[in-house]
């Protein structure tokens, strides 16, 4: 494999600060789903960018927070352990330093890695003084390698992050083929896209109670389609009702939007069938968590 400069870069921060939006912008591909709901990302997601003799391996992580159920505990562990396997971390924030941020900085101190502070969502700030105030609140909290204000949404200054990573790259063979953008399987990416649509169309506890599993994926030569059957897992009958919606409206919309995105991702026509299954308290059952892709 090609020799060049490589780096593994973890993207960490509180839920909802824009980590997944940022990784998608950095690698110019939608490798991670995003949504306005906190705790969208549940797994470690790799986004690979190869440019000439450089390979950046970004690792998106779930938002760090203290959750009660076993799923949340595993999710938090995923984010923390990602720090052990990387050369540098991007600490993404969108507000003044507070207790939650201090909690995350403690993990940086433990792993002793270089950290770039990324102030995201600057498009929402009124003026430069607000950005300066946020930066000031972090000064002295950790010896940050660099501080970069960005807007992951519109791409402002996102390129600067790669420049700041350059000094931390080391000579090594590439870890992934040059055309690869993610190490997720097609099934994982499909399941995530379906979950993303559910996150957009449901409120309160429902988004957090949902898991998605691809049950079947089969080429249909006659119809020239890929037939996909997915299982949506919820915890309670009421949640199932909410997902189905009046006259099946909501389920239909989720299916249509997911199919459109999967078509785009795989560049084939998809025939998508969605099933809903109730699994009481799956978020606290190790066997269910393992089966749904949230292994320990
Ligand atoms: N205005 C604005 N919104 C942003 C920006 N970046 C992300 N967002 C929005 O913030 C919300 C959360 O974005 P995500 O990328 O899913 O956040 P995350 O940090 O990955 O969240 P978790 O996976 O839950 O930890 C979404 O509605 C995004 O569209 C930005 O630069 N500006
Ligand atoms: Mg995310």
């Amino acid at each position: 494999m090609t020799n060049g400069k490589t780096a593994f870069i973890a993207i960490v921060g509180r839920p909802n600060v824009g980590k997944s939006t940022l990784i998608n912008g950095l690698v110019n591909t939608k490798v991670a789903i995003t949504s306005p709901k906190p705790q969208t990302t549940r797994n470690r997601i790799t986004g690979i960018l190869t440019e000439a003799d450089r390979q950046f391996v970004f690792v998106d992580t779930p938002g760090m927070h203290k959750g009660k159920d076993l799923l949340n505990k595993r999710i938090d562990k995923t984010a923390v352990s990602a720090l052990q396997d990387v050369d540098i971390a991007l600490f993404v924030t969108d507000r003044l330093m507070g207790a939650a941020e201090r909690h995350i900085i403690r993990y940086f101190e433990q792993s002793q890695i270089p950290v770039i502070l990324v102030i995201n969502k600057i498009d929402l700030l009124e003026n430069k003084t607000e950005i300066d105030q946020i930066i000031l609140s972090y000064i002295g909290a950790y010896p940050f390698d660099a501080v970069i204000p960005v807007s992951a949404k519109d791409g402002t200054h996102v390129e600067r992050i790669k420049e700041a990573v350059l000094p931390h790259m080391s000579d090594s063979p590439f870890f992934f083929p040059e055309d690869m953008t993610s190490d997720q399987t097609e099934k994982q990416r499909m399941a995530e896209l379906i979950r993303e649509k559910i996150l957009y169309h449901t409120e309160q506890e429902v988004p957090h109670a949902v898991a998605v599993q691809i049950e079947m994926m089969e080429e249909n030569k006659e119809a020239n389609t890929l037939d996909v059957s997915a299982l949506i897992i919820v915890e309670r009958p009421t949640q199932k009702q909410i997902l189905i919606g009046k006259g099946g409206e909501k389920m239909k919309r989720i299916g249509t939007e997911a199919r459109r995105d999967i078509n785009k991702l795989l560049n084939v026509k998809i025939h998508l069938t969605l099933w809903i299954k109730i699994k009481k308290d799956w978020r606290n059952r190790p066997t269910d968590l393992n089966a749904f892709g949230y292994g320990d």
Side-chain angles (χ1 to χ4, degrees):
M1 211 164 281
T2 319
N3 273 294
K5 298 247 179 221
T6 63
F8 278 79
I9 310 120
I11 307 180
V12 298
R14 274 174 26 249
N16 214 39
V17 292
K19 299 177 296 299
S20 300
T21 309
L22 184 64
I23 196 172
N24 292 341
L26 283 163
V27 303
N28 310 310
T29 312
K30 181 166 170 169
V31 292
I33 62 165
T34 65
S35 94
K37 309 267 180 355
Q39 291 148 55
T40 294
T41 306
R42 288 176 176 170
N43 297 101
R44 171 196 306 224
I45 290 168
T46 305
I48 306 149
L49 177 72
T50 308
E51 284 179 335
D53 67 336
R54 291 181 199 134
Q55 186 164 73
F56 300 83
V57 185
F58 295 100
V59 182
D60 184 20
T61 65
M64 289 185 184
H65 72 291
K66 291 196 193 93
K68 286 191 297 284
D69 57 44
L70 188 59
L71 172 63
N72 271 305
K73 292 205 173 85
R74 285 196 176 181
I75 284 176
D76 205 48
K77 215 165 138 191
T78 302
V80 174
S81 69
L83 290 173
Q84 289 161 10
D85 311 328
V86 294
D87 303 296
I88 183 164
L90 308 179
F91 178 29
V92 185
T93 186
D94 60 355
R95 65 174 192 192
L96 294 166
M97 168 94 171
E101 287 75 14
R102 210 174 302 277
H103 177 71
I104 296 170
I105 287 173
R106 255 182 239 131
Y107 291 120
F108 299 147
E109 287 164 351
Q110 281 165 22
S111 55
Q112 292 278 317
I113 54 168
V115 180
I116 296 170
L117 179 64
V118 177
I119 318 277
N120 189 30
K121 308 195 185 182
I122 58 166
D123 57 295
L124 296 178
L125 301 178
E126 297 279 316
N127 51 51
K128 208 181 158 297
T129 320
E130 277 189 77
I131 302 178
D132 290 341
Q133 277 168 351
I134 294 178
I135 294 173
L136 270 176
S137 73
Y138 286 86
I139 298 293
Y142 192 79
F144 294 110
D145 209 75
V147 181
I148 309 176
V150 305
S151 167
K153 195 174 182 176
D154 64 26
T156 307
H157 303 332
V158 168
E159 287 292 312
R160 285 192 195 169
I161 295 176
K162 288 192 270 172
E163 286 162 31
V165 168
L166 287 183
H168 300 277
M169 302 191 92
S170 45
D171 295 322
S172 95
F174 285 175
F175 291 94
F176 299 97
E178 287 165 43
D179 56 355
M180 194 164 160
T181 53
S182 178
D183 64 354
Q184 296 172 91
T185 64
E186 283 182 351
K187 279 189 177 176
Q188 285 168 330
R189 290 179 87 165
M190 286 194 275
E192 282 288 88
L193 287 170
I194 295 166
R195 201 166 60 80
E196 180 182 62
K197 306 312 164 199
I198 296 169
L199 287 168
Y200 271 93
H201 290 292
T202 59
E203 301 299 327
Q204 287 159 13
E205 96 283 5
V206 184
H208 306 297
V210 167
V212 178
Q213 221 183 359
I214 303 297
E215 280 197 311
M216 190 272 298
M217 184 168 97
E218 214 170 69
E219 211 180 322
N220 183 334
K221 288 223 169 77
E222 251 167 66
N224 200 18
T225 58
L226 186 69
D227 293 350
V228 179
S229 165
L231 193 61
I232 299 171
I233 297 103
V234 293
E235 287 184 325
R236 287 199 294 273
T238 45
Q239 294 164 348
K240 180 173 174 172
Q241 279 316 312
I242 290 169
L243 263 183
I244 293 169
K246 266 198 199 107
E249 259 315 298
K250 188 161 281 180
M251 207 60 230
K252 219 168 122 187
R253 201 168 336 140
I254 289 166
T256 307
E257 290 179 11
R259 181 164 42 80
R260 199 189 49 205
D261 276 21
I262 298 171
N263 278 347
K264 226 188 306 176
L265 171 74
L266 302 182
N267 212 7
V268 289
K269 222 170 148 197
I270 302 288
H271 182 260
L272 179 65
T273 315
L274 299 175
W275 306 92
I276 307 179
K277 188 168 152 183
I278 300 163
K279 272 234 155 197
K280 205 172 150 250
D281 207 29
W282 69 263
R283 279 183 286 176
N284 280 308
R285 285 176 206 277
T287 46
D288 285 341
L289 289 171
N290 294 344
F292 304 152
Y294 309 116
D296 202 0

